[in-house]
Amino acid sequence: MASKDVQSPSNAVIGICKSLIAGGVAGGVSRTAVAPLERLKILLQVQNPHSIKYNGTIQGLKYIWRTEGFRGLFKGNGANCARIVPNSAVKFFSYEQASKGILYLYRQQTGNDDAQLTPLLRLGAGACAGIIAMSATYPMDMVRGRLTVQTDKSPYQYRGMVHALSTVLRQEGPRALYRGWLPSVIGVVPYVGLNFAVYESLKDYLVKSKPFGIIDDDTSELTVTTRLACGAIAGTMGQTVAYPLDVVRRRMQMVGWKDASSVITGGKAPIEYSGMVDAFRKTVRHEGFGALYKGLVPNSVKVVPSIAIAFVTYEKVKDILGVELKISD
């Protein structure tokens, strides 16, 4: 007689699909909630240093509202959701699978069948998940960055994500769709890795220590507010470490776009970087070290609720769909 713990192939497939749906919903909800801050962050990252129109978060949001209206605040969000929904689905699912695989190997190595994932192992699982998800959806992120940078006063070249993808392929070749991939890979390791590692480690600590009565008495689980706080702390740590790489990645994505220089450099010179190191060097030389943190404030304001909402939405949707597997077992 088969064990109750063994799932049939059909049930396993259904569980995988539900897990992917939960991850996709988490990504779409969390990014749409902070779409105006996401757009402002990218605009600040590539803003023309010779014609600075806004410096702060409030000033920038007011400028977008005044010049482009309400729709301007959400420009590029459709493309962002088209990218982030599959990205988030793959990322959460990959983390679960990587966690299970790493935990199995760890137990085999230690000979302890009751061993649990350490923060460092969670960091490794999160890094694997981030690299897989980012690589799978990177072309969409690349064109999303260009779509987001376009304004009413800049030369329009792209009418949407499909048009942008086909135009880049035709004019710049398939390699152009992966410009900035290397700093993205390097950046995603601490960013996604720390997000998962910090979130899961904080949850484990709070569940075991039960400080300040933060455990829900009815379910013996952390309250939604506590989980949001854990996600916020995780997001803050991850994005602070990886942010300069995100700036360089976004600038490298503009290379080859014939209208980008009018947006970023005021038409003074074409944007050319020979690679990641060259992009770092030119950015610091021409604009100072602070340029590597352009847009950090709106990104910090954005990433805290975004990561928190994503984690909690993911777990809630999985509960609704009846998926027993948690982010880490």
Side-chain angles (χ1 to χ4, degrees), residues 3 18 30 35 54 136 172 217 240 245 273 280 291 300 313 326:
S3 169
K18 287 181 177 180
S30 63
Y54 42 82
E172 304 171 45
D217 293 331
T240 301
L245 288 157
Y273 302 124
F280 267 110
S300 297
T313 301
K326 296 296 182 183

Side-chain angles (χ1 to χ4, degrees), residues 182-183 248 252 272-282:
L182 181 58
V248 167
M252 289 179 71
E272 289 296 338
Y273 302 124
S274 61
M276 180 181 69
V277 175
D278 184 51
F280 267 110
R281 185 172 61 248
K282 287 180 178 177

Side-chain angles (χ1 to χ4, degrees), residues 41-91:
K41 178 202 75 170
I42 295 176
L43 288 174
L44 285 170
Q45 286 179 333
V46 300
Q47 185 177 213
N48 179 357
H50 306 289
S51 179
I52 296 176
K53 297 180 176 63
Y54 42 82
N55 285 311
T57 303
I58 302 300
Q59 187 182 11
L61 290 173
K62 285 182 177 178
Y63 178 83
I64 295 172
W65 177 276
R66 187 172 65 253
T67 57
E68 301 180 61
F70 178 78
R71 291 184 63 184
L73 294 171
F74 289 86
K75 185 172 288 183
N77 186 55
N80 193 26
C81 285
R83 174 192 71 91
I84 202 64
V85 168
N87 177 283
S88 184
V90 172
K91 181 171 62 182

